[in-house]
Amino acid sequence: GAVVSQHPSWVICKSGTSVKIECRSLDFQATTMFWYRQFPKQSLMLMATSNEGSKATYEQGVEKDKFLINHASLTLSTLTVTSAHPEDSSFYICSASPTSGSRYEQYFGPGTRLTVT
Amino acid sequence: QKEVEQDPGPLSVPEGAIVSLNCTYSNSAFQYFMWYRQYSRKGPELLMYTYSSGNKEDGRFTAQVDKSSKYISLFIRDSQPSDSATYLCAMSATGNQFYFGTGTSLTVIP
C-alpha cells in the first residue's frame, strides 16, 4: 500500500517551453501533497504544499507564477514549470500524506528528472 | 544555522558491520522524527519514524531520539550490500512541514 506515482519519470524540454508533472496517490486519498526539488548530492528542498481544493502554499523564494501547482482531486496534484530555463533542470519529487494517516506519514513518488536545454 | 545537520559521508563499511547514522537539529519544537532511504535516482522511502523521545526498533534498524541533546540516530545491524543508499533524516514540529538533512551516503562492501 501507500504508493505514489509520478509521470513522466524523465523529461527533456527546450528553454521557454512549459512542462507538466503529475503526482498520483494510487491506493489512498491524500488531502495534502508536497512538491520538492533536489539537486545532486543535496537534500530535498520543499517548494510548496498543496491541499485539495485550495491554493498551494509556496515556500519563500519559490515563484508561484513559474511553478504552478494544482491539486484538483484527493489523488492527483500537478506541477507545471512554465517558461522553463536551464537553471530549472533538477529532480522534482512529490509526496502525499494520507487523509486518514498520522502526521508523520509522507509517501514519496519516484521523482521526475527535468532537463531543460 | 541549518535546521537540520547531517554528515554527508560518504560512509563505507564491510558487510555485517553495525552502521550508525546521525543528525542534529536546532529547533526544540521538533517532535516528529523520520528516517528515509533513497536509492540513486529514486524517491525517498520511509524507513522509520518516532514521535518525541525514545527508541524504536524494526528488524535490523533502530532509531533513537535524544531531545535533550537535539540528536537523533539510526543504527543498522548486520549491514547488507542492499543497504547501500543515501539515508535522509527528517523532522517536523507540527507534521505539516518537514525539514530534511542533506543525507548520508552509505556503501556496504560485500
Side-chain angles (χ1 to χ4, degrees):
Chain A
V3 178
V4 176
S5 71
Q6 271 184 252
H7 179 80
S9 57
W10 184 39
V11 58
I12 301 175
C13 70
K14 292 186 176 181
S15 187
T17 61
S18 295
V19 173
K20 180 185 283 189
I21 302 170
E22 291 187 350
C23 177
R24 292 181 185 273
S25 55
L26 298 184
D27 51 3
F28 65 96
Q29 292 186 329
T31 304
T32 303
M33 289 186 172
F34 304 87
W35 286 96
Y36 294 86
R37 187 172 177 176
Q38 188 177 35
F39 291 103
K41 301 194 176 184
Q42 293 189 27
S43 189
L44 299 165
M45 183 190 79
L46 179 65
M47 298 175 66
T49 303
S50 74
N51 291 293
E52 186 264 340
S54 62
K55 290 184 179 180
T57 302
Y58 291 82
E59 295 300 302
Q60 191 173 8
V62 178
E63 298 175 61
K64 60 182 179 182
D65 294 330
K66 181 171 184 60
F67 299 99
L68 301 178
I69 291 173
N70 184 281
H71 193 158
S73 78
L74 288 173
T75 59
L76 174 64
S77 177
T78 60
L79 167 69
T80 301
V81 183
T82 62
S83 187
H85 288 99
E87 57 265 31
D88 298 325
S89 299
S90 188
F91 193 51
Y92 292 87
I93 306 177
C94 72
S95 70
S97 284
T99 301
S100 59
S102 302
R103 303 296 287 272
Y104 70 89
E105 285 186 276
Q106 199 178 157
Y107 297 97
F108 285 83
T112 296
R113 185 160 301 280
L114 170 64
T115 301
V116 184
T117 60
Chain B
Q1 183 185 10
K2 289 183 182 177
E3 295 274 4
V4 180
E5 298 277 0
Q6 184 175 10
D7 186 341
L11 185 61
S12 184
V13 301
E15 183 175 354
I18 297 174
V19 177
S20 173
L21 304 166
N22 311 295
C23 288
T24 59
Y25 62 95
S26 57
N27 189 343
S28 58
F30 287 152
Q31 51 184 349
Y32 299 89
F33 303 93
M34 284 72 64
W35 285 95
Y36 290 86
R37 178 174 60 197
Q38 186 177 22
Y39 293 110
S40 182
R41 296 176 180 265
K42 301 291 184 183
E45 169 195 10
L46 179 64
L47 272 180
M48 295 192 72
Y49 67 93
T50 51
Y51 175 73
S52 193
S53 284
N55 296 353
K56 188 169 185 177
E57 187 174 322
D58 184 2
R60 296 185 295 110
F61 298 89
T62 300
Q64 288 185 352
V65 175
D66 182 348
K67 292 189 73 178
S68 62
S69 301
K70 298 191 180 68
Y71 187 89
I72 70 170
S73 300
L74 177 71
F75 297 96
I76 306 174
R77 290 185 300 280
D78 188 24
S79 56
Q80 303 295 309
S82 59
D83 295 329
S84 299
T86 295
Y87 290 81
L88 298 157
C89 63
M91 42 199 85
S92 176
T94 62
N96 289 327
Q97 185 173 11
F98 292 77
Y99 295 87
F100 285 81
T102 53
T104 299
S105 175
L106 170 67
T107 300
V108 181
I109 303 169

